Short mmCIF file of all heavy atoms in Angstrom, two decimals:
data_model
loop_
_atom_site.label_atom_id
_atom_site.label_comp_id
_atom_site.label_asym_id
_atom_site.label_seq_id
_atom_site.Cartn_x
_atom_site.Cartn_y
_atom_site.Cartn_z
N MET A 1 113.70 106.53 99.87
CA MET A 1 113.07 107.45 98.94
C MET A 1 113.58 108.86 99.19
O MET A 1 113.85 109.24 100.30
CB MET A 1 111.56 107.42 99.12
CG MET A 1 110.86 106.91 97.93
SD MET A 1 109.06 106.92 98.00
CE MET A 1 108.65 106.32 99.58
N ASN A 2 113.66 109.64 98.13
CA ASN A 2 114.17 110.99 98.22
C ASN A 2 113.32 111.90 97.33
O ASN A 2 113.31 111.73 96.12
CB ASN A 2 115.64 110.99 97.78
CG ASN A 2 116.28 112.35 97.93
OD1 ASN A 2 115.68 113.27 98.45
ND2 ASN A 2 117.50 112.45 97.47
N ASN A 3 112.60 112.84 97.94
CA ASN A 3 111.77 113.79 97.19
C ASN A 3 110.77 113.11 96.25
O ASN A 3 110.60 113.52 95.12
CB ASN A 3 112.65 114.75 96.39
CG ASN A 3 113.50 115.61 97.27
OD1 ASN A 3 113.09 115.98 98.37
ND2 ASN A 3 114.70 115.94 96.82
N GLY A 4 110.14 112.04 96.73
CA GLY A 4 109.16 111.36 95.91
C GLY A 4 109.75 110.47 94.83
O GLY A 4 109.05 110.08 93.90
N HIS A 5 111.03 110.19 94.94
CA HIS A 5 111.71 109.34 93.96
C HIS A 5 112.32 108.13 94.65
O HIS A 5 112.55 108.13 95.85
CB HIS A 5 112.80 110.12 93.24
CG HIS A 5 112.26 111.14 92.31
ND1 HIS A 5 111.94 112.42 92.71
CD2 HIS A 5 111.96 111.08 90.99
CE1 HIS A 5 111.47 113.10 91.68
NE2 HIS A 5 111.47 112.30 90.62
N THR A 6 112.57 107.12 93.85
CA THR A 6 113.20 105.89 94.32
C THR A 6 114.45 105.65 93.49
O THR A 6 114.42 105.81 92.27
CB THR A 6 112.23 104.69 94.15
OG1 THR A 6 111.05 104.96 94.91
CG2 THR A 6 112.85 103.40 94.62
N LEU A 7 115.53 105.27 94.16
CA LEU A 7 116.78 104.98 93.46
C LEU A 7 117.00 103.47 93.47
O LEU A 7 116.98 102.84 94.52
CB LEU A 7 117.96 105.68 94.14
CG LEU A 7 119.32 105.48 93.48
CD1 LEU A 7 119.34 106.08 92.08
CD2 LEU A 7 120.42 106.09 94.34
N LEU A 8 117.13 102.90 92.27
CA LEU A 8 117.41 101.48 92.16
C LEU A 8 118.57 101.29 91.20
O LEU A 8 119.07 102.24 90.61
CB LEU A 8 116.17 100.70 91.70
CG LEU A 8 115.62 100.99 90.31
CD1 LEU A 8 114.92 99.75 89.80
CD2 LEU A 8 114.62 102.13 90.38
N ASN A 9 119.00 100.04 91.04
CA ASN A 9 120.14 99.72 90.21
C ASN A 9 119.67 98.77 89.11
O ASN A 9 119.12 97.71 89.41
CB ASN A 9 121.21 99.07 91.09
CG ASN A 9 122.47 98.77 90.35
OD1 ASN A 9 122.47 97.97 89.43
ND2 ASN A 9 123.54 99.41 90.75
N ILE A 10 119.89 99.15 87.85
CA ILE A 10 119.52 98.29 86.73
C ILE A 10 120.79 97.96 85.96
O ILE A 10 121.44 98.85 85.42
CB ILE A 10 118.49 98.97 85.81
CG1 ILE A 10 117.19 99.26 86.58
CG2 ILE A 10 118.20 98.08 84.59
CD1 ILE A 10 116.13 99.97 85.77
N ASP A 11 121.13 96.68 85.95
CA ASP A 11 122.32 96.20 85.26
C ASP A 11 123.57 97.01 85.64
O ASP A 11 124.39 97.34 84.78
CB ASP A 11 122.12 96.19 83.75
CG ASP A 11 121.10 95.17 83.30
OD1 ASP A 11 120.94 94.14 83.98
OD2 ASP A 11 120.47 95.40 82.26
N GLY A 12 123.68 97.31 86.92
CA GLY A 12 124.86 98.01 87.42
C GLY A 12 124.83 99.53 87.30
O GLY A 12 125.80 100.19 87.64
N HIS A 13 123.71 100.07 86.84
CA HIS A 13 123.60 101.53 86.67
C HIS A 13 122.51 102.08 87.57
O HIS A 13 121.40 101.55 87.59
CB HIS A 13 123.27 101.87 85.22
CG HIS A 13 124.26 101.34 84.25
ND1 HIS A 13 125.51 101.89 84.08
CD2 HIS A 13 124.19 100.28 83.41
CE1 HIS A 13 126.17 101.20 83.17
NE2 HIS A 13 125.39 100.21 82.75
N PRO A 14 122.80 103.16 88.30
CA PRO A 14 121.76 103.76 89.14
C PRO A 14 120.69 104.43 88.29
O PRO A 14 120.99 105.08 87.29
CB PRO A 14 122.53 104.79 89.97
CG PRO A 14 123.75 105.09 89.18
CD PRO A 14 124.07 103.87 88.38
N VAL A 15 119.44 104.22 88.68
CA VAL A 15 118.30 104.81 87.98
C VAL A 15 117.35 105.36 89.01
O VAL A 15 116.97 104.68 89.96
CB VAL A 15 117.58 103.75 87.11
CG1 VAL A 15 116.35 104.35 86.44
CG2 VAL A 15 118.51 103.15 86.08
N ARG A 16 116.96 106.62 88.86
CA ARG A 16 116.01 107.27 89.76
C ARG A 16 114.68 107.39 89.05
O ARG A 16 114.61 107.89 87.93
CB ARG A 16 116.51 108.64 90.19
CG ARG A 16 115.65 109.29 91.25
CD ARG A 16 116.25 110.58 91.78
NE ARG A 16 117.58 110.43 92.29
CZ ARG A 16 117.90 109.99 93.52
NH1 ARG A 16 116.94 109.64 94.34
NH2 ARG A 16 119.14 109.90 93.91
N VAL A 17 113.63 106.88 89.70
CA VAL A 17 112.28 106.92 89.13
C VAL A 17 111.31 107.51 90.14
O VAL A 17 111.61 107.60 91.33
CB VAL A 17 111.80 105.51 88.70
CG1 VAL A 17 112.66 104.96 87.59
CG2 VAL A 17 111.75 104.56 89.87
N GLN A 18 110.15 107.88 89.66
CA GLN A 18 109.09 108.38 90.52
C GLN A 18 108.68 107.26 91.49
O GLN A 18 108.55 106.11 91.09
CB GLN A 18 107.89 108.78 89.66
CG GLN A 18 106.86 109.59 90.36
CD GLN A 18 107.32 111.00 90.62
OE1 GLN A 18 108.19 111.53 89.94
NE2 GLN A 18 106.75 111.63 91.61
N ALA A 19 108.50 107.58 92.74
CA ALA A 19 108.06 106.60 93.73
C ALA A 19 106.76 105.95 93.26
O ALA A 19 105.89 106.61 92.72
CB ALA A 19 107.85 107.27 95.09
N GLY A 20 106.67 104.64 93.44
CA GLY A 20 105.48 103.90 93.02
C GLY A 20 105.54 103.39 91.60
O GLY A 20 104.62 102.70 91.15
N SER A 21 106.62 103.68 90.87
CA SER A 21 106.77 103.22 89.49
C SER A 21 107.02 101.72 89.45
O SER A 21 107.61 101.14 90.36
CB SER A 21 107.96 103.91 88.82
OG SER A 21 107.75 105.28 88.70
N SER A 22 106.60 101.10 88.37
CA SER A 22 106.89 99.68 88.16
C SER A 22 108.32 99.54 87.64
O SER A 22 108.92 100.49 87.11
CB SER A 22 105.92 99.07 87.15
OG SER A 22 106.17 99.59 85.86
N VAL A 23 108.85 98.34 87.78
CA VAL A 23 110.18 98.06 87.23
C VAL A 23 110.13 98.22 85.71
O VAL A 23 111.09 98.69 85.10
CB VAL A 23 110.67 96.67 87.65
CG1 VAL A 23 111.95 96.28 86.92
CG2 VAL A 23 110.89 96.61 89.17
N ALA A 24 109.02 97.87 85.07
CA ALA A 24 108.89 98.07 83.62
C ALA A 24 109.06 99.54 83.25
O ALA A 24 109.74 99.87 82.27
CB ALA A 24 107.54 97.55 83.13
N ALA A 25 108.48 100.43 84.03
CA ALA A 25 108.64 101.87 83.78
C ALA A 25 110.09 102.29 83.98
O ALA A 25 110.63 103.09 83.22
CB ALA A 25 107.71 102.67 84.68
N ALA A 26 110.74 101.73 85.00
CA ALA A 26 112.14 102.05 85.27
C ALA A 26 113.02 101.58 84.12
O ALA A 26 113.98 102.27 83.75
CB ALA A 26 112.59 101.41 86.58
N LEU A 27 112.72 100.43 83.54
CA LEU A 27 113.48 99.95 82.38
C LEU A 27 113.35 100.93 81.23
O LEU A 27 114.31 101.20 80.51
CB LEU A 27 112.99 98.57 81.95
CG LEU A 27 113.31 97.42 82.89
CD1 LEU A 27 112.56 96.17 82.46
CD2 LEU A 27 114.80 97.16 82.95
N ARG A 28 112.18 101.47 81.05
CA ARG A 28 111.93 102.45 79.98
C ARG A 28 112.74 103.73 80.24
O ARG A 28 113.38 104.26 79.34
CB ARG A 28 110.44 102.76 79.91
CG ARG A 28 110.08 103.75 78.88
CD ARG A 28 109.97 103.13 77.53
NE ARG A 28 109.46 104.14 76.62
CZ ARG A 28 109.58 104.04 75.33
NH1 ARG A 28 110.13 103.00 74.80
NH2 ARG A 28 109.10 104.98 74.57
N VAL A 29 112.74 104.19 81.49
CA VAL A 29 113.50 105.38 81.86
C VAL A 29 115.00 105.14 81.65
O VAL A 29 115.71 105.98 81.13
CB VAL A 29 113.22 105.77 83.33
CG1 VAL A 29 114.22 106.79 83.84
CG2 VAL A 29 111.81 106.29 83.49
N ALA A 30 115.46 103.95 82.02
CA ALA A 30 116.88 103.65 81.98
C ALA A 30 117.42 103.45 80.57
O ALA A 30 118.53 103.87 80.26
CB ALA A 30 117.17 102.39 82.80
N GLY A 31 116.62 102.79 79.72
CA GLY A 31 117.17 102.41 78.43
C GLY A 31 116.42 102.89 77.22
O GLY A 31 116.73 102.51 76.11
N GLY A 32 115.41 103.68 77.41
CA GLY A 32 114.67 104.20 76.26
C GLY A 32 113.65 103.23 75.69
O GLY A 32 112.48 103.52 75.62
N MET A 33 114.08 102.02 75.31
CA MET A 33 113.18 101.05 74.71
C MET A 33 112.54 100.13 75.74
O MET A 33 111.60 99.41 75.43
CB MET A 33 113.91 100.20 73.66
CG MET A 33 114.33 101.01 72.44
SD MET A 33 112.96 101.83 71.60
CE MET A 33 112.04 100.43 71.03
N GLY A 34 113.06 100.10 76.95
CA GLY A 34 112.46 99.28 78.00
C GLY A 34 112.72 97.80 77.86
O GLY A 34 111.93 96.98 78.32
N VAL A 35 113.84 97.42 77.23
CA VAL A 35 114.15 96.00 77.04
C VAL A 35 114.36 95.33 78.39
O VAL A 35 115.14 95.78 79.21
CB VAL A 35 115.39 95.83 76.14
CG1 VAL A 35 115.82 94.37 76.08
CG2 VAL A 35 115.10 96.37 74.75
N ALA A 36 113.62 94.24 78.60
CA ALA A 36 113.70 93.51 79.86
C ALA A 36 114.66 92.33 79.77
O ALA A 36 115.29 91.97 80.73
CB ALA A 36 112.31 93.01 80.27
N ARG A 37 114.72 91.71 78.61
CA ARG A 37 115.58 90.54 78.46
C ARG A 37 115.83 90.30 76.98
O ARG A 37 115.27 90.98 76.13
CB ARG A 37 114.93 89.32 79.09
CG ARG A 37 113.64 88.90 78.42
CD ARG A 37 112.96 87.74 79.13
NE ARG A 37 111.80 87.32 78.38
CZ ARG A 37 111.81 86.43 77.40
NH1 ARG A 37 112.93 85.84 77.07
NH2 ARG A 37 110.71 86.11 76.76
N THR A 38 116.67 89.31 76.70
CA THR A 38 116.93 88.90 75.32
C THR A 38 116.44 87.46 75.18
O THR A 38 116.72 86.62 76.03
CB THR A 38 118.44 88.99 75.02
OG1 THR A 38 118.86 90.33 75.27
CG2 THR A 38 118.73 88.65 73.58
N SER A 39 115.74 87.18 74.11
CA SER A 39 115.21 85.83 73.89
C SER A 39 116.36 84.87 73.57
O SER A 39 117.50 85.29 73.32
CB SER A 39 114.20 85.83 72.74
OG SER A 39 114.87 85.99 71.51
N VAL A 40 116.07 83.58 73.53
CA VAL A 40 117.10 82.59 73.21
C VAL A 40 117.64 82.77 71.80
O VAL A 40 118.74 82.32 71.49
CB VAL A 40 116.58 81.14 73.42
CG1 VAL A 40 116.29 80.87 74.87
CG2 VAL A 40 115.37 80.87 72.56
N THR A 41 116.89 83.44 70.94
CA THR A 41 117.38 83.70 69.59
C THR A 41 118.06 85.06 69.46
O THR A 41 118.42 85.48 68.37
CB THR A 41 116.22 83.62 68.57
OG1 THR A 41 115.23 84.60 68.91
CG2 THR A 41 115.60 82.24 68.54
N GLY A 42 118.20 85.76 70.60
CA GLY A 42 118.90 87.05 70.61
C GLY A 42 118.03 88.26 70.35
O GLY A 42 118.54 89.38 70.22
N GLN A 43 116.73 88.08 70.30
CA GLN A 43 115.81 89.20 70.06
C GLN A 43 115.51 89.94 71.36
O GLN A 43 115.27 89.31 72.39
CB GLN A 43 114.50 88.68 69.46
CG GLN A 43 114.67 88.01 68.13
CD GLN A 43 115.19 88.97 67.08
OE1 GLN A 43 114.68 90.08 66.94
NE2 GLN A 43 116.22 88.56 66.36
N PRO A 44 115.50 91.27 71.33
CA PRO A 44 115.14 92.02 72.55
C PRO A 44 113.67 91.83 72.90
O PRO A 44 112.82 91.78 72.01
CB PRO A 44 115.43 93.47 72.17
CG PRO A 44 115.40 93.51 70.69
CD PRO A 44 115.79 92.14 70.21
N ARG A 45 113.38 91.69 74.17
CA ARG A 45 112.02 91.53 74.66
C ARG A 45 111.71 92.64 75.65
O ARG A 45 112.53 93.01 76.46
CB ARG A 45 111.83 90.18 75.35
CG ARG A 45 112.02 89.01 74.41
CD ARG A 45 110.91 89.05 73.40
NE ARG A 45 110.87 87.85 72.62
CZ ARG A 45 110.47 87.83 71.36
NH1 ARG A 45 110.11 88.93 70.76
NH2 ARG A 45 110.43 86.70 70.70
N ALA A 46 110.51 93.16 75.57
CA ALA A 46 110.07 94.25 76.44
C ALA A 46 108.66 93.94 76.91
O ALA A 46 107.98 93.08 76.35
CB ALA A 46 110.11 95.57 75.69
N PRO A 47 108.18 94.64 77.93
CA PRO A 47 106.80 94.44 78.38
C PRO A 47 105.84 94.62 77.21
O PRO A 47 105.98 95.55 76.42
CB PRO A 47 106.62 95.54 79.43
CG PRO A 47 107.99 95.81 79.93
CD PRO A 47 108.89 95.63 78.74
N PHE A 48 104.89 93.71 77.10
CA PHE A 48 103.94 93.75 76.00
C PHE A 48 102.52 93.97 76.51
O PHE A 48 101.84 94.90 76.11
CB PHE A 48 104.03 92.45 75.19
CG PHE A 48 103.07 92.38 74.05
CD1 PHE A 48 103.23 93.20 72.94
CD2 PHE A 48 102.01 91.50 74.07
CE1 PHE A 48 102.35 93.14 71.88
CE2 PHE A 48 101.11 91.44 73.01
CZ PHE A 48 101.29 92.26 71.92
N CYS A 49 102.08 93.10 77.42
CA CYS A 49 100.68 93.17 77.85
C CYS A 49 100.48 94.12 79.03
O CYS A 49 99.41 94.66 79.21
CB CYS A 49 100.16 91.78 78.21
SG CYS A 49 100.85 91.09 79.72
N GLY A 50 101.51 94.29 79.86
CA GLY A 50 101.41 95.19 81.01
C GLY A 50 100.60 94.65 82.17
O GLY A 50 100.33 95.38 83.13
N MET A 51 100.20 93.36 82.11
CA MET A 51 99.43 92.81 83.22
C MET A 51 99.90 91.42 83.64
O MET A 51 99.20 90.70 84.33
CB MET A 51 97.94 92.79 82.88
CG MET A 51 97.58 92.00 81.67
SD MET A 51 95.81 92.21 81.35
CE MET A 51 95.68 91.35 79.82
N GLY A 52 101.10 91.03 83.20
CA GLY A 52 101.70 89.80 83.69
C GLY A 52 101.34 88.53 82.95
O GLY A 52 101.73 87.45 83.35
N VAL A 53 100.62 88.64 81.85
CA VAL A 53 100.19 87.44 81.11
C VAL A 53 101.26 86.98 80.12
O VAL A 53 101.56 85.80 80.01
CB VAL A 53 98.85 87.70 80.38
CG1 VAL A 53 98.47 86.51 79.53
CG2 VAL A 53 97.77 88.00 81.39
N CYS A 54 101.87 87.90 79.40
CA CYS A 54 102.77 87.53 78.30
C CYS A 54 104.14 87.04 78.76
O CYS A 54 104.82 86.36 78.01
CB CYS A 54 102.93 88.69 77.32
SG CYS A 54 103.94 90.05 77.94
N GLN A 55 104.56 87.40 79.96
CA GLN A 55 105.85 86.98 80.52
C GLN A 55 107.06 87.57 79.79
O GLN A 55 108.18 87.15 80.03
CB GLN A 55 105.97 85.45 80.53
CG GLN A 55 104.83 84.73 81.21
CD GLN A 55 104.93 84.78 82.71
OE1 GLN A 55 105.96 84.45 83.28
NE2 GLN A 55 103.87 85.21 83.36
N GLU A 56 106.86 88.52 78.90
CA GLU A 56 107.97 89.09 78.13
C GLU A 56 108.86 90.01 78.96
O GLU A 56 109.96 90.33 78.55
CB GLU A 56 107.45 89.85 76.91
CG GLU A 56 106.85 88.97 75.86
CD GLU A 56 107.85 88.03 75.21
OE1 GLU A 56 109.06 88.31 75.18
OE2 GLU A 56 107.41 86.97 74.73
N CYS A 57 108.41 90.42 80.13
CA CYS A 57 109.17 91.37 80.93
C CYS A 57 109.91 90.72 82.10
O CYS A 57 110.24 91.39 83.07
CB CYS A 57 108.26 92.50 81.42
SG CYS A 57 106.98 91.96 82.57
N ARG A 58 110.20 89.42 82.00
CA ARG A 58 110.90 88.73 83.08
C ARG A 58 112.28 89.34 83.32
O ARG A 58 113.04 89.54 82.38
CB ARG A 58 111.07 87.25 82.75
CG ARG A 58 109.79 86.48 82.77
CD ARG A 58 110.04 84.98 82.62
NE ARG A 58 111.00 84.62 81.60
CZ ARG A 58 110.69 84.27 80.37
NH1 ARG A 58 109.43 84.26 79.98
NH2 ARG A 58 111.62 83.93 79.51
N VAL A 59 112.57 89.63 84.57
CA VAL A 59 113.87 90.13 84.99
C VAL A 59 114.22 89.49 86.33
O VAL A 59 113.36 88.87 86.97
CB VAL A 59 113.88 91.68 85.15
CG1 VAL A 59 113.71 92.39 83.81
CG2 VAL A 59 112.83 92.15 86.14
N LEU A 60 115.46 89.64 86.75
CA LEU A 60 115.84 89.23 88.09
C LEU A 60 115.81 90.46 88.98
O LEU A 60 116.41 91.49 88.65
CB LEU A 60 117.25 88.62 88.11
CG LEU A 60 117.39 87.27 87.41
CD1 LEU A 60 118.85 86.82 87.44
CD2 LEU A 60 116.51 86.23 88.06
N VAL A 61 115.09 90.38 90.07
CA VAL A 61 115.00 91.47 91.05
C VAL A 61 115.55 90.92 92.36
O VAL A 61 115.00 89.98 92.92
CB VAL A 61 113.54 91.95 91.24
CG1 VAL A 61 113.47 92.98 92.34
CG2 VAL A 61 112.99 92.51 89.94
N ASP A 62 116.67 91.49 92.77
CA ASP A 62 117.36 91.03 93.98
C ASP A 62 117.54 89.51 93.95
O ASP A 62 117.33 88.81 94.93
CB ASP A 62 116.61 91.48 95.23
CG ASP A 62 116.61 92.99 95.40
OD1 ASP A 62 117.58 93.63 94.93
OD2 ASP A 62 115.66 93.53 95.96
N GLY A 63 117.90 88.99 92.75
CA GLY A 63 118.19 87.58 92.59
C GLY A 63 117.01 86.66 92.36
O GLY A 63 117.18 85.46 92.20
N ARG A 64 115.80 87.20 92.33
CA ARG A 64 114.60 86.38 92.13
C ARG A 64 113.90 86.78 90.83
O ARG A 64 113.78 87.97 90.54
CB ARG A 64 113.63 86.55 93.30
CG ARG A 64 114.26 86.05 94.62
CD ARG A 64 113.32 86.19 95.77
NE ARG A 64 112.19 85.30 95.58
CZ ARG A 64 111.06 85.41 96.24
NH1 ARG A 64 110.89 86.38 97.12
NH2 ARG A 64 110.07 84.57 96.03
N ARG A 65 113.42 85.80 90.10
CA ARG A 65 112.73 86.09 88.84
C ARG A 65 111.39 86.77 89.13
O ARG A 65 110.60 86.29 89.93
CB ARG A 65 112.49 84.80 88.07
CG ARG A 65 111.94 85.06 86.69
CD ARG A 65 111.80 83.81 85.92
NE ARG A 65 113.13 83.23 85.76
CZ ARG A 65 113.40 82.24 84.95
NH1 ARG A 65 112.45 81.71 84.23
NH2 ARG A 65 114.62 81.77 84.86
N ARG A 66 111.16 87.89 88.47
CA ARG A 66 109.93 88.67 88.64
C ARG A 66 109.45 89.18 87.30
O ARG A 66 110.22 89.26 86.34
CB ARG A 66 110.19 89.89 89.54
CG ARG A 66 110.69 89.59 90.90
CD ARG A 66 109.57 89.16 91.76
NE ARG A 66 110.04 89.03 93.14
CZ ARG A 66 109.38 88.44 94.06
NH1 ARG A 66 108.21 87.92 93.80
NH2 ARG A 66 109.86 88.34 95.27
N LEU A 67 108.21 89.61 87.27
CA LEU A 67 107.67 90.29 86.10
C LEU A 67 107.81 91.79 86.34
O LEU A 67 107.29 92.32 87.32
CB LEU A 67 106.21 89.91 85.89
CG LEU A 67 105.96 88.44 85.57
CD1 LEU A 67 104.46 88.18 85.48
CD2 LEU A 67 106.66 88.03 84.30
N ALA A 68 108.50 92.46 85.45
CA ALA A 68 108.76 93.89 85.62
C ALA A 68 107.49 94.72 85.66
O ALA A 68 107.40 95.71 86.40
CB ALA A 68 109.69 94.39 84.51
N CYS A 69 106.48 94.30 84.92
CA CYS A 69 105.24 95.09 84.88
C CYS A 69 104.42 94.95 86.16
O CYS A 69 103.56 95.78 86.43
CB CYS A 69 104.39 94.69 83.67
SG CYS A 69 103.66 93.05 83.76
N GLN A 70 104.70 93.94 86.96
CA GLN A 70 103.94 93.68 88.18
C GLN A 70 104.73 93.96 89.45
O GLN A 70 104.25 93.70 90.55
CB GLN A 70 103.48 92.22 88.20
CG GLN A 70 102.56 91.86 87.06
CD GLN A 70 101.24 92.59 87.15
OE1 GLN A 70 100.55 92.51 88.15
NE2 GLN A 70 100.90 93.33 86.12
N THR A 71 105.95 94.49 89.32
CA THR A 71 106.83 94.72 90.46
C THR A 71 107.04 96.22 90.66
O THR A 71 107.46 96.92 89.74
CB THR A 71 108.18 94.02 90.24
OG1 THR A 71 107.95 92.64 89.98
CG2 THR A 71 109.08 94.16 91.45
N VAL A 72 106.75 96.69 91.85
CA VAL A 72 106.93 98.11 92.19
C VAL A 72 108.38 98.33 92.63
O VAL A 72 108.94 97.53 93.39
CB VAL A 72 105.96 98.55 93.31
CG1 VAL A 72 106.21 99.99 93.72
CG2 VAL A 72 104.52 98.37 92.83
N CYS A 73 108.99 99.38 92.14
CA CYS A 73 110.37 99.71 92.49
C CYS A 73 110.49 100.00 93.98
O CYS A 73 109.61 100.62 94.57
CB CYS A 73 110.85 100.94 91.72
SG CYS A 73 110.97 100.68 89.94
N ALA A 74 111.60 99.55 94.55
CA ALA A 74 111.91 99.82 95.96
C ALA A 74 113.32 100.39 96.04
O ALA A 74 114.18 100.07 95.22
CB ALA A 74 111.81 98.53 96.78
N GLU A 75 113.54 101.22 97.02
CA GLU A 75 114.84 101.85 97.23
C GLU A 75 115.93 100.77 97.33
O GLU A 75 115.80 99.81 98.09
CB GLU A 75 114.82 102.69 98.50
CG GLU A 75 116.02 103.56 98.70
CD GLU A 75 116.09 104.74 97.74
OE1 GLU A 75 115.06 105.17 97.20
OE2 GLU A 75 117.21 105.24 97.53
N GLY A 76 116.99 100.92 96.52
CA GLY A 76 118.12 100.01 96.57
C GLY A 76 117.93 98.70 95.83
O GLY A 76 118.82 97.85 95.82
N MET A 77 116.79 98.51 95.18
CA MET A 77 116.50 97.28 94.44
C MET A 77 117.55 97.06 93.36
O MET A 77 117.99 98.00 92.71
CB MET A 77 115.11 97.42 93.82
CG MET A 77 114.65 96.28 92.99
SD MET A 77 113.00 96.64 92.29
CE MET A 77 111.96 96.16 93.66
N ARG A 78 117.95 95.80 93.16
CA ARG A 78 118.88 95.43 92.10
C ARG A 78 118.12 94.66 91.01
O ARG A 78 117.54 93.62 91.29
CB ARG A 78 120.02 94.55 92.63
CG ARG A 78 120.96 95.30 93.55
CD ARG A 78 122.03 94.37 94.13
NE ARG A 78 121.40 93.33 94.97
CZ ARG A 78 121.32 92.04 94.67
NH1 ARG A 78 121.83 91.57 93.55
NH2 ARG A 78 120.72 91.19 95.48
N VAL A 79 118.13 95.18 89.80
CA VAL A 79 117.43 94.56 88.67
C VAL A 79 118.47 94.15 87.64
O VAL A 79 119.35 94.92 87.29
CB VAL A 79 116.43 95.56 88.03
CG1 VAL A 79 115.76 94.94 86.82
CG2 VAL A 79 115.40 96.02 89.05
N GLU A 80 118.34 92.90 87.18
CA GLU A 80 119.24 92.38 86.14
C GLU A 80 118.39 91.92 84.98
O GLU A 80 117.44 91.17 85.16
CB GLU A 80 120.07 91.23 86.68
CG GLU A 80 120.98 91.63 87.83
CD GLU A 80 121.64 90.43 88.45
OE1 GLU A 80 122.21 89.61 87.70
OE2 GLU A 80 121.57 90.32 89.69
N THR A 81 118.74 92.39 83.78
CA THR A 81 117.93 92.05 82.62
C THR A 81 118.45 90.83 81.87
O THR A 81 117.81 90.38 80.94
CB THR A 81 117.83 93.24 81.64
OG1 THR A 81 119.13 93.59 81.20
CG2 THR A 81 117.15 94.42 82.32
N SER A 82 119.59 90.29 82.26
CA SER A 82 120.08 89.06 81.63
C SER A 82 120.04 87.96 82.67
O SER A 82 120.53 88.11 83.77
CB SER A 82 121.49 89.25 81.10
OG SER A 82 122.36 89.63 82.14
N GLU A 83 119.40 86.85 82.32
CA GLU A 83 119.24 85.75 83.26
C GLU A 83 120.34 84.74 83.09
O GLU A 83 120.82 84.48 82.06
CB GLU A 83 117.90 85.06 83.06
CG GLU A 83 116.74 85.99 83.32
CD GLU A 83 115.41 85.29 83.16
OE1 GLU A 83 115.31 84.07 83.34
OE2 GLU A 83 114.45 85.99 82.85
#
């Protein structure tokens, strides 16, 4: 952490967020719309419910499937939005 911020990597791009932010918030900071994944029909998906029920915010975090809305950013974390 640096000055109350956390640096993580989203799809190969460094993103700095406020310490304690969720991965869903980091996706929003990184890409504007906060797209977490693309559906099988090619539609963009983003966090919807914000509490882990809808599963729309699934991403890979350090190689493991996680819900972006329920995962707190950690220094050096690697997030991939395409599974």
